[in-house]
Amino acid sequence: MRGRRASAVSVIAGALGVVLTLGACGGGSKSGSTPAAGTFDAKGPITLATGKDTSGYLQSALDKWNSAHASEQVRLIELPESADQQRQQMIQNAQTKSDAYTILNVDVVWTAEFAANGWIEQLPADKFPLDKILKGPASTGQYFNKLYAAPYLTDGGMLYYRKDLLDAAGISSPPASWDDLAADCKKVQASNPGVGCYAGQFEKYEGLTVNFSEAVDSAGGKVVDDSGKPVVNSPEAKKGLDFLVNGFKTGVIPKDAITYKEEEGRRAFQDGKLIFHRQWPYQYKLASATDGSSKVTGKFAVAALPGLSGAGKSSLGGHNLAISKFAKNKGSALAFIQFLTSEPEEKLHLQKTSEAPVYSELYDDPELIKQFPYLPILKASVNDAVARPRVVKYGDATTAIQEDAYAALTGQKTTDDALKDMQDKLTSIIGK
Amino acid sequence: MTTTTSVDVPTTPETKPGRPPGRRAGVASFAALLLSPSLLILLLVIGYPIVSALRLSFIKTVDGVDPDTGLVTHSSVFSLANYIDIFRGDTAAAFRNAFWNTTTFTIVTVIIETTIGVCMALVMNKAFRGRGLVRASILVPWAIPTAMSALLWRWIFSADGVANDLLRANILWTTEGFQAWLAVVIADTWKTAPFIGLLVLAGLQIIPAEVYEAAKVDGSSAWRTFWRITLPLVKPALVVAVLFRMLDVLRMFDLPFVLIGPQKKSTQTLSLLAYNDMSNLHFGPAAAYATVLFAYVAVVAYAFVRLLGADIVGRGVGGGR
């Protein structure tokens, strides 16, 4: 009998391991103390916590700063490649009030959460040339009309299209509206039956929030209004969602596209399976590759996203730089952010990594346009782009949006029900 | 693999009867002294997090946003609210769904894996040319980290992947629905049937050949030999293997997370539910889910041990009877 009990006890001890990981991560949920206005005097060594530096360019920018500032060295701390894990590590750093990370490279949608929880310092707006920065990206660093993160890099959606197929079908210009897009597809598919019409990112993840918001905004609706109130249950929003839902029903959007993230869609476009593709600028270089990996090299062009009647509106992507509340040497941090987000640095960054800058002038630079022909289109896209809902509990909000948008796209809910449920959930999350 | 590491909890050595009492006390206290460092470490790395998670699961936090500054305001109270929410409202539906998935995954995958695993072990136990190669190749899936194999299966199950080519179908495996659940079962079986195969093989190899010779002499059929000799004798190893698999599947996380995606209802398990809540900073509900999962695992393990007499600390099966 004793043996039995001992074995049962050890089984339970084994089972205890299950909760370990979860328990260990949950420690300490105290925060919300009133933040004092930051002072930016202290100088000294600092760190920059950022996602993986895949281009290798960032380190060379740091080296340039370091050689000129011997006593204010910046050290690069590379976080995992996945955005969720970056956010988690930054939050853990904040909850333990650690001074390990000085400058945080934050995704534009985290600004509200980080600022509201008092994890990042309010920045002096007069230290940054916000008037030279495109208004879309400039707004992403703000929360309650105060600057919390300096605009650094931006991203906007564009419509990639098969110029060769459109030309062959006698269509001279890219579609300006969703109806044009469907009509163009009909003409092209008449002689190319195998090719799909349109795709974006419709898998159930952050990309769906981006694409859903774009559809709503492009139809004249809004997910969240300017005062932060959810207004997604509107006739305009319904027209936007209907475009996607009917797209799947009528075959304008191929069935496979419900599993597309950025990369799946890119493969389909590069394999010549799509006429139109909503995608970020990074695809331009890869789809233009001459090593045989792309079948559409030289056959495609980009245009602004179409909308319900006339031009559509993109969702804003990108990253901003913020200063951790718990860091030391915030004076050096501010100076370094000014250096890294300065116009000459952003120009270099664009040339080396093709990541889009926030300065309006760079998009008009003929030398840069020669290297990146899509810059004028991207400028228009980013300038009119709409930030995703600026919500403190962004994680909950985006989950709710994905849940109901996906249910509508897969036919589990009607668009009316989906938008009504989404409105209810967002209202309870945002609390207004 | 957090569970397996802590299974070998050192039990206090039993003192043999007939020793002088004074010396026994001395030995016991010396033994306690020797064990104290490991006990201390166990207390630190197992005891503290469990107590901390339990405490956290009873803290209900209400967040608000200050309308003037936009800053978050927290207020926390000790209450049972996190547990009550599990059985009430929207969260109850999510919990029931995750509980159902966890349970069905456990039952279905363990049954399939055990069947295939035993077959694998029987094959590996036979003497034939190239046996070493077969053994090694059967173990390859087990050696690949789950996240990697989940990525590989994601390619196989993609819309234009190998699975659809072979089936000449156009199934969207990773979308919500039964097919996503099935994809996880297939990938999990591929990965862990070899684990059961390996443990059962170890059990098979200690069955003396004489028993089979005697069965042959008595004219027993191969089928009867399997049910009457092989299975009863391999039972101790098999039961332990099945128990380990059950504990593993009950906390399944990485396979659905990578293969199907974290937000999909069709494959959301209790671990995923806790993870999602935690990454959205709802530590209280996350800890409550984890505690419920812990209790579930403990109950299943205890019931399994009582019913089948699993011998996981190696005292020999017959000892307790």
Side-chain angles (χ1 to χ4, degrees):
Chain A
M1 216 35 231
R2 185 188 134 79
R4 279 269 177 92
R5 188 165 300 131
S7 76
V9 163
S10 47
V11 164
I12 290 167
L16 288 178
V18 173
V19 273
L20 274 187
T21 352
L22 295 155
C25 298
S29 56
K30 285 164 265 159
S31 74
S33 52
T34 47
T39 51
F40 299 96
D41 306 321
K43 306 265 181 189
I46 52 175
T47 61
L48 169 62
T50 177
K52 203 164 164 50
D53 178 19
T54 41
S55 64
Y57 166 71
L58 200 53
Q59 185 61 50
S60 63
L62 260 62
D63 291 343
K64 198 196 292 176
W65 165 273
N66 285 344
S67 62
H69 300 81
S71 62
E72 298 170 74
Q73 298 282 307
V74 182
R75 188 163 56 82
L76 189 66
I77 299 179
E78 281 185 312
L79 303 177
E81 217 170 324
S82 129
D84 283 342
Q85 287 175 14
Q86 291 167 23
R87 171 175 162 271
Q88 222 160 42
Q89 292 208 4
M90 287 179 186
I91 290 177
Q92 269 169 27
N93 182 72
Q95 293 201 318
T96 55
K97 298 192 172 21
S98 154
D99 60 0
Y101 303 162
T102 316
I103 300 169
L104 306 173
N105 184 359
V106 291
D107 193 295
V108 288
V109 295
W110 304 340
T111 312
E113 180 180 37
F114 279 47
N117 281 291
W119 296 331
I120 51 179
E121 200 72 68
Q122 190 187 327
L123 300 177
D126 56 335
K127 302 276 186 196
F128 298 94
L130 292 174
D131 51 327
K132 293 167 94 180
I133 290 174
L134 293 164
K135 60 179 192 297
S139 70
T140 60
Q142 295 187 357
Y143 179 68
F144 270 65
N145 292 322
K146 290 169 191 151
L147 188 70
Y148 280 91
Y152 177 39
L153 299 168
T154 188
D155 224 348
M158 302 188 291
L159 185 72
Y160 287 71
Y161 67 98
R162 290 287 299 279
K163 198 167 178 355
D164 59 331
L165 296 180
L166 259 61
D167 286 348
I171 303 158
S172 55
S173 61
S177 71
W178 290 332
D179 287 340
D180 290 356
L181 182 134
D184 288 357
C185 281
K186 277 221 173 77
K187 285 185 202 162
V188 171
Q189 282 167 329
S191 49
N192 302 276
V195 61
C197 176
Y198 173 80
Q201 293 79 42
F202 303 124
E203 170 67 291
K204 201 176 186 182
Y205 79 121
E206 186 60 29
L208 181 58
T209 305
V210 169
N211 278 259
F212 167 78
S213 310
E214 271 171 9
V216 169
D217 291 326
S218 300
K222 273 180 177 165
V223 179
V224 173
D225 73 5
D226 295 334
S227 66
K229 219 174 123 200
V231 288
V232 77
N233 194 8
S234 69
E236 291 83 10
K238 179 174 155 53
K239 281 177 193 153
L241 183 56
D242 274 340
F243 162 65
L244 299 177
V245 172
N246 293 334
F248 274 104
K249 274 187 195 147
T250 58
V252 166
I253 302 175
K255 295 248 173 317
D256 291 5
I258 194 74
T259 65
Y260 284 1
K261 297 191 194 184
E262 278 87 355
E263 284 296 271
E264 285 86 354
R266 179 173 73 81
R267 281 205 303 275
F269 187 74
Q270 284 185 190
D271 287 345
K273 290 181 189 164
L274 289 172
I275 306 170
F276 298 108
H277 188 207
R278 181 260 171 232
Q279 181 62 292
W280 307 102
Y282 86 100
Q283 178 170 282
Y284 199 92
K285 197 175 164 194
L286 294 162
S288 313
T290 49
D291 60 359
S293 59
S294 169
K295 291 180 187 158
V296 296
T297 311
K299 295 178 181 169
F300 72 94
V302 290
L305 292 175
L308 180 66
S309 51
K313 282 185 174 165
S314 168
S315 289
L316 264 181
H319 280 84
N320 297 332
L321 296 178
I323 298 179
S324 164
K325 186 126 229 156
F326 314 102
K328 288 180 184 139
N329 303 326
K330 290 175 187 167
S332 300
L334 186 66
F336 177 72
I337 291 179
Q338 283 176 308
F339 160 77
L340 204 59
T341 60
S342 66
E343 197 167 328
E345 273 307 308
E346 296 233 334
K347 183 176 176 180
L348 270 176
H349 196 117
L350 169 65
Q351 286 171 323
K352 301 282 188 208
T353 67
S354 79
E355 288 181 296
V358 293
Y359 288 94
S360 177
E361 273 175 20
L362 293 179
Y363 289 86
D364 307 327
D365 187 326
E367 178 201 351
L368 289 172
I369 292 176
K370 211 175 149 199
Q371 196 183 348
F372 304 101
Y374 57 82
L375 280 182
I377 304 283
L378 182 60
K379 181 181 182 180
S381 165
V382 168
N383 212 20
D384 292 337
V386 182
R388 276 165 277 169
R390 212 161 293 160
V391 181
V392 176
K393 292 183 193 164
Y394 183 75
D396 290 331
T398 187
T399 306
I401 292 173
Q402 289 166 35
E403 188 67 45
D404 286 312
Y406 191 84
L409 294 190
T410 50
Q412 313 257 316
K413 281 185 188 173
T414 63
T415 43
D416 288 310
D417 288 347
L419 291 175
K420 187 181 167 295
D421 292 351
M422 193 187 294
Q423 172 76 18
D424 290 348
K425 282 183 208 161
L426 287 178
T427 307
S428 79
I429 290 164
I430 296 170
K432 278 179 188 168
Chain B
M1 291 309 302
T2 36
T3 45
T4 47
T5 48
S6 47
V7 167
D8 305 313
V9 177
T11 46
T12 327
E14 286 181 62
T15 46
K16 283 182 188 156
R19 279 191 184 163
R23 183 159 171 225
R24 191 197 290 167
V27 168
S29 61
F30 186 58
L33 189 71
L34 287 178
L35 283 174
S36 57
S38 43
L39 283 177
L40 202 71
I41 289 171
L42 284 177
L43 214 65
L44 215 67
V45 300
I46 296 183
Y48 171 72
I50 289 170
V51 173
S52 165
L54 268 176
R55 183 179 158 271
L56 209 56
S57 73
F58 289 107
I59 296 178
K60 172 78 179 173
T61 307
V62 180
D63 291 327
V65 176
D66 186 314
D68 297 325
T69 59
L71 297 173
V72 167
T73 50
H74 284 304
S75 59
S76 304
V77 280
F78 278 97
S79 83
L80 283 170
N82 292 329
Y83 289 96
I84 295 169
D85 283 347
I86 289 179
F87 304 102
R88 199 182 58 188
D90 284 347
T91 43
F95 174 80
R96 270 200 307 275
N97 172 61
F99 190 83
W100 171 252
N101 283 336
T102 307
T103 310
T104 51
F105 275 141
T106 306
I107 294 170
V108 174
T109 59
V110 169
I111 288 175
I112 301 177
E113 284 160 18
T114 309
T115 316
I116 298 178
V118 169
C119 294
M120 282 175 167
L122 290 172
V123 169
M124 287 191 284
N125 196 36
K126 291 276 175 270
F128 57 89
R129 272 163 67 88
R131 183 169 74 156
L133 196 70
V134 170
R135 278 190 192 175
S137 57
I138 277 181
L139 278 177
V140 167
W142 175 246
I144 299 177
T146 313
M148 304 281 178
S149 61
L151 269 180
L152 298 177
W153 280 101
R154 201 187 159 90
W155 280 80
I156 292 174
F157 284 128
S158 71
D160 50 356
V162 181
N164 280 342
D165 274 0
L166 287 177
L167 295 170
R168 295 178 201 285
N170 194 16
I171 302 169
L172 301 172
W173 292 92
T174 53
T175 52
E176 291 272 22
F178 174 71
Q179 71 280 5
W181 182 90
L182 191 66
V184 170
V185 169
I186 292 171
D188 193 61
T189 305
W190 175 82
K191 179 168 165 56
T192 51
F195 171 75
I196 294 198
L198 186 72
L199 288 195
V200 172
L201 177 64
L204 283 178
Q205 285 179 335
I206 55 166
I207 302 177
E210 292 85 6
V211 191
Y212 287 108
E213 279 166 24
K216 214 178 229 169
V217 171
D218 291 345
S220 164
S221 71
W223 192 242
R224 206 178 153 80
T225 310
F226 174 74
W227 282 106
R228 288 300 180 84
I229 295 177
T230 311
L231 212 55
L233 285 174
V234 86
K235 193 186 139 200
L238 185 63
V239 167
V240 171
V242 169
L243 178 65
F244 278 14
R245 277 308 308 148
M246 276 171 44
L247 300 186
D248 239 11
V249 187
L250 282 172
R251 63 186 179 91
M252 184 194 278
F253 175 82
D254 32 13
L255 195 56
F257 185 91
V258 180
L259 178 59
I260 308 297
Q263 305 290 355
K264 303 273 171 64
K265 290 256 183 294
S266 325
T267 57
Q268 190 161 53
T269 62
L270 286 172
S271 304
L272 271 168
L273 198 61
Y275 170 86
N276 280 346
D277 259 323
M278 200 183 70
S279 57
N280 287 333
L281 307 183
H282 309 310
F283 294 118
Y289 288 132
T291 309
V292 170
L293 175 59
F294 163 56
Y296 187 33
V297 170
V299 166
V300 168
Y302 184 73
F304 196 78
V305 170
R306 294 298 290 197
L307 285 177
L308 288 165
D311 170 29
I312 62 160
V313 281
R315 298 174 324 277
V317 237
R321 285 185 196 138

